Amino acid sequence: MTILVAYGTSRQGTAGLAEMIAEAFVRLGRGAVAVPARAAGDPTGYEAVVVAGSLSAGRWHRDARRWVRSHAAALRATPTWLVTSGPLDDSARGGAIPPVPHVAAAMDLVRARGHMTFGGCLAPDARGFPAAAMARTRAGDWRDPDHVREWVASVDAELSAL
Ligand SMILES: Cc1cc2nc3c(=O)[nH]c(=O)nc-3n(C[C@H](O)[C@H](O)[C@H](O)COP(=O)(O)O)c2cc1C
């Protein structure tokens, strides 16, 4: 059985986070794949699903939103967790940052078992408006493999108890 980590990304930071999540499951002996939400298709048949999306101006990534809406019934029948990747500082490490309201609504829609916010990343040479301006003062990588592994271990324990 395989765990699907479906993700929505604008600048690939959440793709890397999704790979970290999948890798952490594999280290615990589970099968896991990270796939862009646009290419993920029907999640029926996966052991569990994690949906990760980046935040931009308070909005969860459109690909993650759309995929969750399109596959809500299948996700309700599968243990599902939602992930937000965002803060460009270490605040995600300081305590559980709650989901933004429409991610909370998506959790209700699919009866998600939980949510976690992980730190984001922004390259110093990010292009486009307003990313390039933000990058002048806030570029960096706050994705934390230890934080990811801790959270994946808690999901793994929950799956084992099902
Ligand atoms: C234009 C822009 C807007 C952003 N808005 C938010 C935000 O509202 N909240 C937040 O926590 N992070 C915000 N971020 C940080 C991103 O969520 C972070 O850089 C994330 O890792 C981006 O993921 P991606 O590379 O997969 O697109 C923003 C970043 C950019 C470039």
Side-chain angles (χ1 to χ4, degrees):
M1 292 282 272
T2 303
I3 296 169
L4 171 65
V5 187
Y7 61 87
T9 180
S10 296
R11 292 187 165 75
Q12 296 306 309
T14 310
L17 177 68
E19 293 289 351
M20 277 183 206
I21 292 170
E23 203 178 292
F25 278 118
V26 169
R27 283 167 71 122
L28 294 175
R30 295 191 185 268
V33 288
V35 180
R38 278 168 179 265
D42 184 345
T44 302
Y46 284 100
E47 179 181 12
V49 174
V50 176
V51 191
S54 54
L55 269 192
S56 181
R59 300 285 292 163
W60 209 41
H61 198 277
R62 187 177 55 183
D63 293 352
R65 286 202 316 266
R66 286 187 175 168
W67 189 74
V68 163
R69 264 202 311 268
S70 302
H71 299 288
L75 292 172
R76 275 197 292 275
T78 310
T80 296
W81 283 261
L82 303 189
V83 159
T84 298
S85 111
L88 296 172
D89 54 33
D90 59 9
S91 58
R93 225 15 188 131
I97 297 177
V100 296
H102 61 275
V103 173
M107 290 180 70
D108 288 344
L109 179 69
V110 301
R111 297 190 200 119
R113 287 171 178 269
H115 168 270
M116 181 51 74
T117 298
F118 290 110
C121 69
L122 184 62
D125 58 354
R127 289 164 183 245
F129 177 81
M134 280 178 70
R136 280 200 281 278
T137 53
R138 301 181 62 193
D141 190 350
W142 283 269
R143 296 169 302 178
D144 177 349
D146 289 338
H147 189 198
V148 169
R149 282 196 282 269
E150 278 167 30
W151 179 75
V152 165
S154 72
V155 171
D156 176 72
E158 214 174 314
L159 280 174
S160 296
L162 288 179

